[in-house]
Each structure stands twice: as structure tokens, then as C-alpha cells.
Amino acid sequence: MSLRSGWVALVCAAVMGACDGDARKSGSGSGADDVTDASGEDTLLETSADLVPGETGEADGDDAAPSPQNEPGTHGETLVVDGMEREAIVYVPEAARGVRAPVVFMLHGTSGDGQIFYEHSGWVEKADEVGLIAVFPSALRHCFFEDENHDGDYDDPGERKVTTKWSSGKLGEADGMPPCTEADIAALSPAKQAEVDHPVADDVAFFDAMLAMLSERYLVDEDAIYVSGFSNGAQMTARLAVERAHVIAAAHAAAGTLTVAGTSTRPISVIFSVGSLDDRFTVPMGVAELPLEEEALTALPLFPQMLFKYFSALQLTDDYTYDLLPVGGKNVARFTFATSAVGATNTFQAVVIEDLYHKYPNGQNHVVDAPNLLWPFFEGHRLP
């Protein structure tokens, strides 16, 4: 079916999954855009040995420099990017010791940090199960304005924000999320002034720096780098899927839209997911719940308009297929765009999850378990 005659699409392999793969588990936390909230051309450095997945990093010869061996445990990493200290948590499971492991980045939402999703997203548990390295970076705090009620101004109570935020495309832009004035910042407490005393972060550069750090300090499979993000973290994931598709094998954006223009640096497969009760989408669309039926979705013009940004950037046509899948007693509607405009094999998959609010589902806050479902999808994609 085509969008011109209906709506949009998704396909995955087990619940985001019939075509590309599956998905699994995730979290709960605090903060307006975090896990349980219901109310956010550089290639990788080469490793010192030419390894394939499963091989160790030991080099022959006494003079050879030792390769990273993935010491199991939780590692706090601090990087300096554009003169600013950035932080990430890297979790290495026992199964990744001495082998080149895949990597999953988990990007938190507005007001969150890496620690929240380290504790609640489910990716640590998935890492232990399958031997992947899980990375939980933190965004910087910024002072900015956000038109949350979409009335065209930033004058309403609560629309001035001092919180963590990824630079996913609108942060700091006059027609997006304009920065606070000097007077606004001067009115903050000294502690908050110190937190926001920096320019808008270049989070694409931060991602590049994390990739370089992982390549230098850990034994990673550079053809198997994946990103999952929630809310504002999903917006950042979507930006990376466009601007860093040449180093990301596949991506997942939960409850976050694409906010940058352009075509992805290569045809990459992406899953977009949203809860049927997510007020960040239902309120702007003027409905109490996103419908799961294919025909009903055509009545919501903002929804296909939003998805068009994704599959257009991924160089896919508007042809799609539709399925309704039962998962743990709930239904998941999935729409799949799998027809490439450039002869590629990538897909864009969009799923609507029944009775899910603005949350990253972890099997506890909802029956859907994002990491558990996502991992087969990720594992089924590698850089060409």
C-alpha cells in the first residue's frame, strides 16, 4: 500500500520484527522525559588488530602493543569535547571479556541522565545475556525555552527550562528552542548559572568522541554499533541516523521525532515506536488515543507528516505494509516502509504500542520489553 492511498509503515522481526528483527527491554526513572514519565564523516578509529567477532585482541610478538580486553564491570568515562567535560557510563559484561563486542548506545530523554537508563532501561541485563557493551551517555544542562503547548510563543509558565537536553536539531535555534537571555541566566541561582555556563553542546561531536574512546579503550565490533533513544534522546538518535549512518548499523527512536533535514549518509534501517496514550503525540493531534487500526490512522494528518520526515531521509518510498500483532495481551500496530528509492535494502518501521504512555517500555512499566525486542533487529544489521 502507498501513503497516498492510506498511511505509513513498519516492519521488524518479532514485534518490531517480522522483516528486520526484534526488540527487547527498558526502563523506568525520574524526570519529565525519562523512562517512566507519563506527563522528552569520521569513521571509527581502527583497532590495533584486525579482529572478527569472537576473536580475542591478543597480538603476536613481545613488542606488540596490548589491545583492550574489555574488563567486565561498570566504567565511568569522562571526555572533553569542545572544552566541555562530558560523561558516559560504559557497561561491559563478562561475556564481552577478550572478544570484539557489539555496542548499544542508550540516549535518555529531557531532564534525565545516563545513570537513570543504566539502572532502569534493561540494556544492562541484555548486555549480560548476549555479550554486548552498553553505553549510557549524559546530555549537558542548558537554559532554553520550549513551546510545550504549541501556541506559538514561549510566555507560558514552565516554558523556560533549565535541564539536560540533547542538541537534536532545535536546541538553541530561534525558531526552535531559543536560548535564555543573559538576564534570564542572571536570575538563576549561582549553582544553576554554573551548570548552564557553556554554549549549546555539539552532541554529534560528543558521539564521535565516544566512538573514538570506545575504539581506543575497549574491544568493540565497529560494524555493530547501534543506538536507541527515548523522547529527546530519540530525536538525537534520529539525527545520528541521518548524519552518522556510516558508523551506525541500525537505530531505534522511541517517542521522538526527526528534527533535522537532509538525507542519511547511507541507507540505514530505523524503528520508530510510540505509545497509543503518549500525550506528547495525542495532544497535538487532538485525540485521546492514537488508534491502532490502519484506516483510522489516515484521519490523523500530523502522524504521516511526521513519519514522512523519517522515510524521506532514509530514501524510502511511501509504499508500506500493515500488521497488528498481539504482545503480552496488548496490541502493537506496525507499518513498514521497505521499498527503497535508491535500490537499497533498508527499512523504516513504525509501531504504535497499545496502552503505553510517554515511557520507554521495560517489561515492568509495560508488557512490551524494548531491549528484548530490539536486540534481534539490531543483531540482524551490520555495516556493509
Side-chain angles (χ1 to χ4, degrees), residues 2 55 69 111 119 143 287 312:
S2 167
E55 290 185 341
Q69 291 300 303
S111 83
E119 294 175 351
C143 185
V287 295
S312 176

Side-chain angles (χ1 to χ4, degrees), residues 53-64:
E55 290 185 341
T56 67
E58 297 178 358
D60 295 329
D62 295 336
D63 297 332

Side-chain angles (χ1 to χ4, degrees), residues 25-28 35-36 120-121 360-366 368-371:
K25 173 175 182 178
S26 160
S28 104
V35 191
T36 60
H120 301 290
S121 70
Y360 190 83
N362 63 5
Q364 297 180 20
N365 60 16
H366 191 274
V368 169
D369 184 343

Side-chain angles (χ1 to χ4, degrees), residues 112-134:
D113 56 30
Q115 184 71 33
I116 290 174
F117 275 80
Y118 168 81
E119 294 175 351
H120 301 290
S121 70
W123 280 110
V124 167
E125 292 80 359
K126 196 64 184 174
D128 286 332
E129 179 185 338
V130 303
L132 63 87
I133 294 174

Side-chain angles (χ1 to χ4, degrees), residues 167-178 235 257 259-260 309:
S167 56
S168 58
K170 292 185 176 181
L171 183 63
E173 298 294 325
D175 59 349
M177 297 179 183
Q235 294 174 330
T257 57
T259 60
V260 296
K309 297 178 181 179

Side-chain angles (χ1 to χ4, degrees), residues 8-12 271-272 321 333-337 348-351:
V8 262
L10 161 95
V11 100
C12 182
I271 292 175
F272 164 81
T321 58
R334 67 181 183 184
F335 301 81
T336 305
F337 297 91
F348 171 65
Q349 311 171 43
V351 296

